[in-house]
Amino acid sequence: MAVALALAILFVGAWRTPGARSATLSPAQIDRAIEQLGDESYQVRQAASRQLWEAGKAAEPALQKACASPDREVADRARRIQTKLRWEIYPDTPAETVAAINLFRKGDEGSKLRACQRLVRLGDARRVFRLIALIPDSNSRERLFRQFQSQLDEAVSSLLEQGDFDGAEQVLQSSPNEQQLAAWAALLLIRQKLDPAIEETRSRLGQKAEPLQQRRLAYLLRAKGDVRGALDAAEKADDPSLVDDLLFRLGRWGQLAKRIEANASNGPMQSSEINRLGYLATYHRLAGDKKALDRDAAKLLEHGRTMPNESWFAAKALLINGRVDDALDLCATKDRRQLFEILCVQGRYREAFRRVGLGEPPAARKDSMAAAWAKDAVAARKDYELGCEAARVLERLGEHAAAVEFADQMGALASGVSGTRRSALLASLCRCEVELKLDARAVAHAMAIFGRRPEDCPYLYYGLFGAYGQTNEIGKILWGALREQYPDESEGAILKRLRDLLADRPSESSIKELRRLAERADNNLVAAGNGPQRRERSLLAISSFFAARHCDALAVRYARKAAAESGSSQLAAIQLGNLLAARGNWADAARAYQAAVTKNARDPVALYLLGRANLRRGKEAEGHRQVETASMMLSLGGGYARWRLIDCLGRAKRDDEARSQCELTIRLVNSREWVVSGCRQSLANLASQRGDHLAAADYWEKLLAPCIETSRGFAEAANYIRLPSLIHRERARGLLKAGKYAEALEELRKAESVQPADPQVAFDIVPELQRAGRRADADALFRRAFDRQAAICRDFPRSALHHNSLAWMAACCKRELDKALVHARRAVELDPKASYIDTLAEVHFRRGEVDEAIRQEKRALQLDPDYAYLKRQLERFTRSLERGAAEDTQPPVDEERRSSP
């Protein structure tokens, strides 16, 4: 305990670099002192020894030569001085410290531990890490490092805070720990010292090959971007985890597969048999070894059948590797909901209902849910979620009455359950009822979960909207304000108002009401005597809510209020700074970030943002120093700190910097860390937007592969269909652009086989095939996609969603426009919402009926006047009318108008 306490407080003192107080001697003076080591006079010999000792590192080369002197006196004295310098014992080193160092030098492992503890108590922890690094036995060295591992980052943070960057490098360099070696390499990269460090490390390896030095070289080369060189060093260091990481970066899938087969890997794939099998299948697929993949898939299928508790993990590995039918067979035996979800995302709706025992939609047998109701709690919960999901799917298929009947059945089943199980069931039912627009029932069930008023239910808005975080918080805030504003309305009416206010694009009248409600909520917080933390959290939720809806002035206003309440918290100050930075107000942004730094000087994110703001406002020297220090401190925080920074940069609308940080994070952080997946997602989106489809596919492929692990993956089973389909689609687009038509068509075939009912495949690729002169291939692809969507529309003629999808795809592909008009009109007839009316307008436009397109677009804008996309569409149609002909162009890009259901 005493050691831990000492470690916690020792870092407030100053740190010095070895030899920092050494005497300055010229080369001639050093040579003269070396000669005097053998002088006849004892006093001269002593004075010369003292001089060389005080000279420190500057004298080391001369001392090394003197050790080989034929004069025994000279050689002995040179060796003794060298030993002192090696152990960092200087003339001004305190006697107690020297005693501890000598105990460390001469004692066994227990003595070394006691010596380190004594140095910690003396306030010289930096020396501890330097001493441990000198232990020749790697096992003993790593055991001792582990004793003080948790204090190393604290020590380095203190050094960086004090500006002792050299000291920080020395401490990190001495660690054998993976994260700290990566941090050391990152520091050198930031300080532009990577190349000299690589040369020095290679030089040492030339003198003596040592695994730790090879590991250091590997981390240095990885930070430099020389992944092949890093791999060579990692293999020589026999570091399996690092080798796996580097092979993964290089995409050497065959080698990774061989390492798993030879049990040479040491990564997460070795933690269980199911992980091993999943990675093996994935690497064989990526290596193009179909025969091996067939063998792996058979083993996965067998494993899932014999190990029921791991059947889903086997199923998701099969999905990732394109074996959808095998995965569905496994799901059918264990988890009917996942089977149902996967079949629905493939557009196989009738089969989905039939295979889970629900009969044929729309006349699905809701009573079968009661018949299938299991006594086992886990099975019962899964069956219940299946029933709620079936109701949601029926709603999307236009079968509202059948959907409500299913929801009624789920409510009846939940009524027979008590306690926490009932609360869990009702939470699922709430989300289902909200989608079915059964507002009053949703509120009643949500309140039944907690037995309290809606404004007092901490998880009510997760139950209602399926969202955590600030949506949950703003929902509570607005509910209370709405109840005061409209005291005579029912809870169902209040919920409808709340849902309208929480829309992504509220109308101008809604914004005015939101402003009033926010003021009321703010006054209520004051009147209720809430503490600073509670007020800060609520005000930040209001600020974030307005920011997401582009009400910048209101977002800044409430962020300022939150910052005034924040106490020791940095959140409000950083959020305020981000909002001001997004508006280009760098002086005020810097003041906000400075407030955050004042609260916690060791937060690298706040310091980095402050530095960038200072650079933007012309404070070059100060800004560069802050950015450099923060960048080095970020290296210690691993992936989480970097992800916080990336998120803040995005909120401040500094997309180029966010992209650079993503790229740097991928270079410096191990590929298996979650933050790397987040960075790959961001970079994939950016690559796709700029038309680099092959790069996007590669990012997404490397994001998908780690989902094999039992501890990782997607919340929705359907994403194991959507992402592989997206990867094949992007790769097909990239190959088309490169003129590799045969390979592109093969990727296209894979995309269709994984998600056959996705009209986005045709929407993205038909125009590109057309531009490439592949008219026959474009026609064939469109015909397949059109026929699949038409079949769904025949099966479910009341599905506005699918009528709209078919019409939109046909319009954008400029084919079957007469049929597209029929389906677009039917969609609007079934559900006259703005986006469906826009589809009708697009169809008219493609048919050359520009006047009618303009009329329909104006109708859509009346329903959703703040939807910027609709305004751009109207401008496009109007320009075309003025020119006298329809423009032969795609509609503006807008994620909400992508055609996939």
Side-chain angles (χ1 to χ4, degrees):
M1 186 68 181
V3 174
L5 179 62
L7 282 166
I9 64 174
L10 67 90
F11 298 108
V12 298
W15 293 64
R16 68 176 180 82
T17 304
R21 299 182 187 175
S22 59
T24 303
L25 294 181
S26 67
Q29 288 173 314
I30 289 173
D31 290 342
R32 175 64 177 156
I34 292 289
E35 289 178 15
Q36 290 176 338
L37 292 178
D39 196 273
E40 293 181 0
S41 167
Y42 173 76
Q43 285 81 6
V44 172
R45 295 198 301 274
Q46 285 292 92
S49 294
R50 179 80 180 189
Q51 270 188 308
L52 292 166
W53 188 19
E54 289 176 343
K57 287 188 175 294
E60 283 186 340
L63 288 167
Q64 181 66 36
K65 291 180 182 178
C67 288
S69 172
D71 187 324
R72 186 172 177 179
E73 179 74 16
V74 171
D76 285 348
R77 283 181 175 269
R79 275 193 290 270
R80 287 198 294 272
I81 298 167
Q82 259 200 327
T83 299
K84 288 177 182 178
L85 295 178
R86 180 170 179 262
W87 292 96
E88 297 183 16
I89 298 173
Y90 301 99
D92 61 348
T93 303
E96 287 181 282
T97 301
V98 174
I101 293 170
N102 286 331
L103 175 63
F104 186 96
R105 287 175 56 199
K106 299 172 183 176
D108 57 13
E109 195 167 317
S111 299
K112 285 178 168 54
L113 175 60
R114 289 194 297 277
C116 290
Q117 291 168 342
R118 190 181 300 175
L119 288 168
V120 165
R121 286 193 292 272
L122 292 171
D124 201 359
R126 175 186 161 282
R127 192 184 297 272
V128 168
F129 300 112
R130 296 288 294 171
L131 289 176
I132 294 173
L134 295 172
I135 298 173
D137 178 62
S138 60
N139 293 327
S140 177
R141 185 171 62 232
E142 293 192 20
R143 279 194 297 272
L144 259 181
F145 253 114
R146 281 194 291 271
Q147 295 282 338
F148 300 93
Q149 193 69 57
S150 61
Q151 286 75 35
L152 190 143
D153 282 348
E154 171 68 18
V156 176
S157 294
S158 293
L159 288 165
L160 292 174
E161 193 177 351
Q162 296 166 29
D164 187 355
F165 302 148
D166 290 336
E169 284 176 17
Q170 289 165 1
V171 171
L172 285 170
Q173 182 182 4
S174 61
S175 173
N177 176 273
E178 173 185 341
Q179 184 174 328
Q180 285 148 1
L181 281 176
W184 170 62
L187 255 64
L188 292 169
L189 174 66
I190 292 160
R191 301 188 70 200
Q192 299 182 338
K193 296 173 65 177
L194 208 49
D195 288 338
I198 290 170
E199 285 223 9
E200 181 185 352
T201 307
R202 280 178 167 151
S203 175
R204 290 182 180 179
L205 282 167
Q207 299 167 15
K208 180 183 178 183
E210 187 185 63
L212 180 57
Q213 290 292 352
Q214 289 286 6
R215 287 187 78 213
R216 287 173 179 158
L217 179 60
Y219 281 103
L220 293 172
L221 291 170
R222 188 180 76 174
K224 183 179 172 65
D226 182 359
V227 183
R228 289 181 176 81
L231 175 61
D232 180 63
E235 287 174 335
K236 289 175 181 174
D238 193 23
D239 187 331
S241 178
L242 186 55
V243 169
D244 287 342
D245 171 59
L246 296 165
L247 287 171
F248 189 91
R249 290 166 186 270
L250 290 167
R252 294 187 180 176
W253 312 118
Q255 285 179 257
L256 281 165
K258 288 177 182 177
R259 285 174 60 76
I260 295 175
E261 290 171 329
N263 293 317
S265 285
N266 194 32
M269 65 286 293
Q270 293 297 307
S271 62
S272 69
E273 177 64 9
I274 189 64
N275 280 354
R276 192 185 74 81
L277 288 172
Y279 269 109
L280 200 55
T282 301
Y283 292 152
H284 278 140
R285 172 179 63 84
L286 291 170
D289 190 341
K290 186 178 182 302
K291 184 176 179 181
L293 174 58
D294 289 341
R295 185 175 64 245
D296 299 333
K299 289 180 181 178
L300 279 165
L301 189 59
E302 180 63 23
H303 185 94
R305 287 170 175 165
T306 56
M307 302 284 289
N309 289 337
E310 293 190 345
S311 63
W312 167 241
F313 301 125
K316 74 172 185 175
L318 288 165
L319 288 171
I320 285 170
N321 289 293
R323 304 305 174 100
V324 178
D325 289 337
D326 286 342
L328 291 173
D329 287 342
L330 283 181
C331 291
T333 64
K334 183 66 178 176
D335 194 326
R336 299 192 303 159
R337 184 196 171 182
Q338 288 164 337
L339 170 66
F340 184 80
E341 191 178 325
I342 292 165
L343 286 168
C344 286
V345 82
Q346 287 194 307
R348 296 156 69 179
Y349 295 111
R350 290 195 178 280
E351 183 182 351
F353 278 87
R354 188 171 60 250
R355 287 189 68 174
V356 298
L358 296 181
E360 284 281 332
R365 296 194 306 272
K366 62 182 185 301
D367 57 320
S368 64
M369 293 305 304
W373 190 250
K375 293 182 180 179
D376 176 71
V378 175
R381 175 69 189 273
K382 288 180 178 178
D383 278 341
Y384 192 88
E385 290 175 348
L386 170 61
C388 291
E389 180 65 18
R392 285 193 287 267
V393 169
L394 286 167
E395 180 72 12
R396 293 166 202 159
L397 294 175
E399 304 299 336
H400 179 73
V404 172
E405 287 182 358
F406 257 85
D408 290 341
Q409 179 70 52
M410 296 304 101
L413 290 172
S415 66
V417 180
S418 61
T420 56
R421 280 184 63 203
R422 182 167 182 260
S423 295
L425 299 179
L426 288 177
S428 295
L429 180 58
C430 284
R431 294 193 292 279
C432 172
E433 289 171 332
V434 166
E435 190 162 336
L436 272 57
K437 296 183 174 57
L438 303 174
D439 295 343
R441 285 168 50 170
V443 172
H445 284 133
M447 288 190 294
I449 297 173
F450 305 101
R452 299 196 290 274
R453 298 178 305 161
E455 54 265 43
D456 295 334
C457 298
Y459 300 110
L460 170 64
Y461 303 96
Y462 173 67
L464 295 177
F465 301 106
Y468 288 110
Q470 290 175 330
T471 300
N472 194 26
E473 184 71 22
I474 195 67
K476 287 193 295 181
I477 292 167
L478 292 178
W479 182 281
L482 282 166
R483 292 302 279 138
E484 286 190 6
Q485 186 81 13
Y486 305 99
D488 298 328
E489 289 193 359
S490 68
E491 274 129 359
I494 294 293
L495 174 60
K496 184 178 185 308
R497 286 184 181 276
L498 178 60
R499 186 171 54 210
D500 291 343
L501 292 173
L502 291 175
D504 289 336
R505 295 183 313 278
S507 64
E508 290 183 15
S509 60
S510 294
I511 291 295
K512 289 178 182 177
E513 178 155 29
L514 284 167
R515 186 198 303 266
R516 291 193 299 270
L517 292 170
E519 288 175 0
R520 182 186 288 275
D522 186 18
N523 293 334
N524 289 345
L525 287 169
V526 176
N530 289 291
Q533 288 185 336
R534 175 74 178 87
R535 274 179 54 76
E536 179 197 13
R537 187 170 68 248
S538 297
L539 291 166
L540 275 180
I542 295 171
S543 173
S544 297
F545 177 74
F546 281 125
R549 283 146 187 82
H550 309 293
C551 304
D552 295 343
L554 289 170
V556 170
R557 175 184 174 185
Y558 284 97
R560 286 193 193 280
K561 283 176 172 281
E565 296 283 348
S566 62
S568 61
S569 170
Q570 295 177 282
L571 294 176
I574 291 177
Q575 182 160 318
L576 176 59
N578 290 340
L579 291 167
L580 293 166
R583 302 174 81 184
N585 188 345
W586 296 107
D588 285 348
R591 280 190 282 273
Y593 292 138
Q594 181 61 65
V597 171
T598 301
K599 293 174 190 295
N600 181 3
R602 288 196 181 171
D603 180 11
V605 174
L607 186 60
Y608 181 95
L609 294 169
L610 173 60
R612 296 302 297 178
N614 278 328
L615 284 171
R616 290 295 188 99
R617 63 196 290 226
K619 293 193 171 184
E620 296 283 332
E622 185 179 359
H624 279 301
R625 178 180 57 78
Q626 289 164 339
V627 168
E628 183 185 35
T629 303
S631 297
M632 288 187 280
M633 293 174 75
L634 275 168
S635 303
L636 305 178
Y640 177 69
R642 291 191 179 279
W643 188 250
R644 276 185 59 219
L645 176 61
I646 291 165
D647 180 60
C648 284
L649 291 170
R651 292 176 188 276
K653 294 183 171 51
R654 288 144 75 177
D655 296 335
D656 288 344
E657 286 184 63
R659 184 183 67 250
S660 296
Q661 286 294 329
C662 282
E663 291 168 348
L664 184 62
T665 298
I666 290 176
R667 187 192 292 191
L668 295 175
V669 179
N670 192 291
S671 294
R672 68 174 179 263
E673 288 200 27
W674 65 269
V675 68
V676 173
S677 293
C679 290
R680 286 197 172 112
Q681 174 69 58
S682 297
L683 293 173
N685 290 336
L686 291 169
S688 180
Q689 289 165 16
R690 69 173 181 265
D692 191 352
H693 302 295
L694 291 176
D698 184 63
Y699 280 126
W700 271 313
E701 191 77 80
K702 287 177 179 174
L703 178 144
L704 179 63
C707 293
I708 287 292
E709 296 170 31
T710 55
S711 60
R712 300 177 72 163
F714 301 118
E716 294 182 30
N719 285 330
Y720 291 101
I721 293 292
R722 293 188 182 108
L723 186 53
S725 175
L726 172 62
I727 291 167
H728 292 308
R729 190 168 79 230
E730 282 294 295
R731 194 170 287 131
R733 297 176 77 183
L735 290 167
L736 274 176
K737 186 179 280 190
K740 299 179 179 180
Y741 302 119
E743 294 173 58
L745 292 173
E746 175 60 19
E747 288 297 325
L748 182 58
R749 183 195 64 76
K750 291 177 182 177
E752 290 184 273
S753 69
V754 172
Q755 196 175 4
D758 181 12
Q760 194 67 40
V761 177
F763 173 79
D764 281 343
I765 298 181
V766 165
E768 295 186 15
L769 284 167
Q770 189 85 25
R771 284 192 292 272
R774 310 283 295 192
R775 177 67 188 238
D777 291 326
D779 289 344
L781 170 58
F782 174 79
R783 178 49 51 193
R784 293 193 299 270
F786 186 89
D787 289 348
R788 289 167 187 148
Q789 284 297 311
I792 295 173
C793 290
R794 285 194 300 273
D795 280 349
F796 304 100
R798 289 188 290 270
S799 175
L801 172 70
H802 283 285
H803 284 296
N804 179 73
S805 292
L806 187 149
W808 180 251
M809 177 187 70
C812 293
C813 294
K814 294 181 287 184
R815 286 164 169 78
E816 295 285 9
L817 293 178
D818 291 344
K819 292 180 180 178
L821 183 60
V822 173
H823 285 282
R825 285 173 172 165
R826 180 60 173 154
V828 171
E829 177 188 336
L830 291 164
D831 187 359
K833 64 182 183 180
S835 60
Y836 291 178
I837 296 172
D838 170 63
T839 297
L840 179 58
E842 183 69 32
V843 172
H844 279 299
F845 181 72
R846 295 288 179 167
R847 288 165 54 88
E849 299 156 355
V850 183
D851 285 330
E852 183 61 16
I854 290 173
R855 191 179 76 79
Q856 293 294 343
E857 204 65 42
K858 287 179 178 178
R859 180 184 167 199
L861 271 165
Q862 286 177 340
L863 294 174
D864 199 347
D866 297 311
Y867 195 172
Y869 168 80
L870 299 181
K871 294 176 183 177
R872 295 197 301 272
Q873 280 278 74
L874 182 58
E875 289 171 4
R876 171 172 164 250
F877 298 161
T878 304
R879 283 197 310 270
S880 175
L881 185 64
E882 292 168 353
R883 293 171 184 169
E887 291 179 340
D888 189 19
T889 60
Q890 293 287 85
V893 174
D894 190 285
E895 284 302 313
E896 293 185 36
R897 294 294 291 116
R898 292 179 74 82
S899 63
S900 298

